[in-house]
Amino acid sequence: MTFSEILDRVGSMGPSQYLLVTLLALPILGIANHNLLQIFTATTPAHYCRPPPNASVGPWVLPLGPNGKPEKCLRFVHLPNGSLPNDTVGATEPCLNGWIYNSTRETIVTEWDLVCSSNKLKEMAQSMFMAGILVGGPVFGELSDRFGRKPILTLSYLLLAVSGSGAAFSPSLPVYIIFRFLCGCSISGISLSTVILNVEWVPTSVRAISSTLIGYFYTVGQFILSGLAYVIPQWRWLQLTVSVPFFIFSLLSWWVPESIRWLVLSGKFSKALKTLQRVATFNGKKEEGRKLTIEELKFSLQDVASAKVKYGLSDLLRVSILRHVTLCLSLAWFSTGFAYYSLAMGVEEFGVNIYILQLIFGAVDIPAKFITILSISYLGRRITQGFLLLLAGGAILALIFVSPEMTLVRTALAVFGKGCLSGSFSCLFLYTSELYPTVLRQTGMGISNVWARVGSMIAPLVKITGEVQPYIPNVIFGTMALLGGSAAFFLLETLNRPLPETIEDIQNW
């Protein structure tokens, strides 16, 4: 008897699985909020130099830039009494008294003056958040393999609640960055455990549907973020609002069952049996649960149990088929994260109201993920993944040839590209979990997550190259998406295949 048959006996898709998917999906609403939070907490409003305290504001106080508008980072030189010296009329100096912001919204930019020579600190704050996600991948992946999926999921919820709330009370930018780094670490733990628990508890026939459904909660989270940001103009209160719910999620996670495969790998057969019997009772199949024995469980997963000490991280590169899969997936994950955050975090650049554009960016996920689930269910994972990245790369490269004045066309291309990349993420989470065998699934997911976060961490820094030539960032982002899409076509197809348990299983494909 296989493990899939055991799941069928206790109810492979009953009330227990519906509850599991719900409990895993609800926190994803908040993950979207944290991932995209700096769109609203770090907006840069129109600003100009604050004049000396004893100078009156007038046309003569601020020099005009090449576009005929007041300079944002320079002012005329003033004498101590606030007047202009006769012999240096026209001489300029930096904003020695800070800035005046034309906005009622309070952001980290307005609070800590992250403009002009300090504007790169805003991008660094977002990059450090992504660095936290990068570090959290392997760290929580290792902890999950050692202590289980469920404890790490609970710990990650609690860490996000504490660090997110801490960020809201940060007295300075360095402290804020540290807390945001910890937020990123916890998001990795949540994402990895969510994907693994969903894949291992849901039957093959509905795995794509449940994965996409969880992805839709991320989409809804984007809508919620726009609404919250609109009604909460203070960045500290917004940060706190999206963090506190994770205290509740950490309590609700106790209803999530532990991965049976992990329990077997850890030799905890009695606990695995009790977990299955509890699921059977919840699904109305109590008698079937009573009939299960530890011997049946050991026999159904004997290959997994025997492989417990044979494989590790080095096998991802040592074994030929796993090396092939890892290299192709790494490029696909990197390019998706790299290109996605170039668009998702760049809503200020398209000349459209950021609240409306964020709603549009969220709305495009609805048809994008629906088309993705149809494609991966009928055309397969490989074709879907490849074409999504190719289309996204094409859309980003097309932005180079559209002038900034054509805001409608630029917005349409950005929305299309973002939709393709959202579909790419949905496909990758499912595809990756199906390509790696049980004995290395968490490790493989962790490594893949690392590359996605490397991409998303570098993306804000690449945007700075736009100061040299405006088209450079889009050339880099678009080209990487094309490379990632090409790599996807060299992967194995997993449509309608059972999850591989051992390396031998995937080699036999």
Side-chain angles (χ1 to χ4, degrees):
M1 181 182 294
T2 65
F3 181 67
S4 297
E5 290 172 332
I6 288 181
L7 275 184
D8 288 335
R9 284 178 60 182
V10 301
S12 59
M13 199 60 201
S16 179
Q17 281 78 9
Y18 287 117
L19 178 62
L20 170 69
V21 173
T22 302
L23 291 175
L24 293 177
L26 282 174
I28 301 302
L29 295 170
I31 297 299
N33 293 340
H34 278 276
N35 274 341
L36 305 174
L37 191 60
Q38 272 202 205
I39 291 175
F40 300 103
T41 60
T43 53
T44 304
H47 55 278
Y48 55 90
C49 290
R50 186 183 299 278
N54 54 353
S56 59
V57 178
W60 54 273
V61 175
L62 299 172
L64 298 180
N67 57 1
K69 296 181 179 180
E71 281 281 1
K72 296 180 179 180
C73 302
L74 296 172
R75 71 180 190 187
F76 288 123
V77 174
H78 289 77
L79 294 173
N81 63 4
S83 63
L84 291 169
N86 293 328
D87 57 340
T88 57
V89 173
T92 59
E93 63 184 359
C95 302
L96 302 179
N97 297 96
W99 289 263
I100 294 175
Y101 298 95
N102 293 333
S103 174
T104 58
R105 185 171 193 88
E106 297 176 12
T107 68
I108 64 171
V109 173
T110 61
E111 179 160 340
W112 292 313
D113 288 331
L114 306 184
V115 293
C116 298
S117 60
S118 299
N119 67 337
K120 294 179 178 62
L121 293 176
K122 172 181 131 176
E123 302 296 349
M124 189 185 77
Q126 180 64 17
S127 287
M128 287 303 294
F129 169 73
M130 295 301 176
I133 300 179
L134 168 66
V135 171
V139 170
F140 281 106
E142 178 66 26
L143 291 175
S144 181
D145 284 338
R146 180 172 297 184
F147 300 107
R149 290 28 166 163
K150 180 179 174 179
I152 297 306
L153 182 65
T154 302
L155 174 65
S156 298
Y157 287 149
L158 194 57
L159 178 60
L160 183 54
V162 173
S163 56
S165 300
F169 295 99
S170 299
S172 63
L173 181 63
V175 175
Y176 170 81
I177 289 176
I178 291 172
F179 277 123
R180 284 286 285 167
F181 175 84
L182 293 175
C183 286
C185 290
S186 60
I187 285 175
S188 269
I190 294 170
S191 301
L192 289 174
S193 295
T194 297
V195 171
I196 297 299
L197 287 168
N198 172 63
V199 166
E200 294 190 352
W201 272 108
V202 174
T204 305
S205 57
V206 294
R207 196 180 296 143
I209 297 175
S210 64
S211 297
T212 304
L213 177 64
I214 292 175
Y216 270 124
F217 274 75
Y218 188 93
T219 300
V220 175
Q222 295 179 65
F223 290 123
I224 294 174
L225 177 61
S226 296
L228 289 174
Y230 185 78
V231 300
I232 306 176
Q234 299 84 13
W235 76 266
R236 291 183 183 275
W237 283 107
L238 181 58
Q239 175 79 45
L240 189 63
T241 301
V242 301
S243 301
V244 168
F246 283 90
F247 284 110
I248 300 173
F249 295 143
S250 67
L251 298 176
L252 292 177
S253 65
W254 289 104
W255 291 87
V256 174
E258 180 57 275
S259 163
I260 298 298
R261 286 177 168 87
W262 179 83
L263 290 172
V264 170
L265 276 169
S266 303
K268 300 180 179 182
F269 295 101
S270 297
K271 191 171 182 179
L273 181 61
K274 289 180 181 178
T275 301
L276 282 171
Q277 290 173 337
R278 193 182 309 120
V279 169
T281 302
F282 199 86
N283 287 341
K285 295 190 175 185
K286 188 173 182 179
E287 289 303 317
E288 286 294 330
R290 284 180 177 177
K291 294 177 183 177
L292 286 176
T293 64
I294 291 180
E295 286 68 30
E296 284 182 303
L297 195 57
K298 286 182 177 180
F299 181 76
S300 67
L301 289 170
Q302 58 182 340
D303 290 339
V304 179
S306 64
K308 176 181 175 183
V309 296
K310 290 184 180 178
Y311 305 114
L313 181 63
S314 62
D315 292 287
L316 294 181
L317 296 178
R318 183 184 62 81
V319 180
S320 176
I321 184 64
L322 291 178
R323 180 171 63 249
H324 177 91
V325 167
T326 299
L327 291 177
C328 291
L329 279 177
S330 295
L331 186 54
W333 275 95
F334 174 84
S335 58
T336 299
F338 188 57
Y340 180 89
Y341 284 96
S342 74
L343 295 175
M345 301 303 297
V347 295
E348 288 184 86
E349 302 171 4
F350 297 100
V352 180
N353 182 285
I354 61 172
Y355 301 103
I356 296 175
L357 187 53
Q358 184 56 36
L359 285 174
I360 296 173
F361 268 17
V364 73
D365 283 8
I366 297 175
K369 289 177 179 176
F370 180 71
I371 293 171
T372 298
I373 189 175
L374 292 178
S375 181
I376 62 179
S377 299
Y378 294 100
L379 297 180
R381 281 62 158 156
R382 177 173 52 190
I383 292 177
T384 302
Q385 184 59 56
F387 275 108
L388 282 172
L389 281 174
L390 291 179
L391 290 171
I396 294 173
L397 290 174
L399 287 170
I400 300 170
F401 306 102
V402 182
S403 67
E405 290 74 24
M406 300 176 67
T407 55
L408 185 61
V409 177
R410 289 181 63 83
T411 301
L413 286 171
V415 168
F416 176 77
K418 197 265 185 181
C420 291
L421 292 167
S422 294
S424 177
F425 263 127
S426 295
C427 185
L428 274 175
F429 272 112
L430 175 63
Y431 200 8
T432 304
S433 62
E434 292 178 335
L435 279 169
Y436 285 113
T438 298
V439 292
L440 283 167
R441 185 167 297 123
Q442 189 79 4
T443 303
M445 285 295 298
I447 293 299
S448 298
N449 186 68
V450 163
W451 284 110
R453 302 318 164 187
V454 168
S456 57
M457 183 177 68
I458 295 175
L461 304 179
V462 171
K463 280 185 170 294
I464 297 175
T465 62
E467 297 177 6
V468 181
Q469 287 292 341
Y471 62 83
I472 292 178
N474 285 334
V475 169
I476 299 173
F477 292 131
T479 302
M480 283 308 307
L482 294 181
L483 290 174
S486 301
F489 288 109
F490 292 91
L491 289 167
L492 300 168
E493 182 54 71
T494 61
L495 180 62
N496 296 326
R497 287 185 179 272
L499 284 178
E501 304 291 358
T502 65
I503 292 178
E504 288 73 19
D505 288 344
I506 196 171
Q507 285 176 326
N508 291 335
W509 287 5

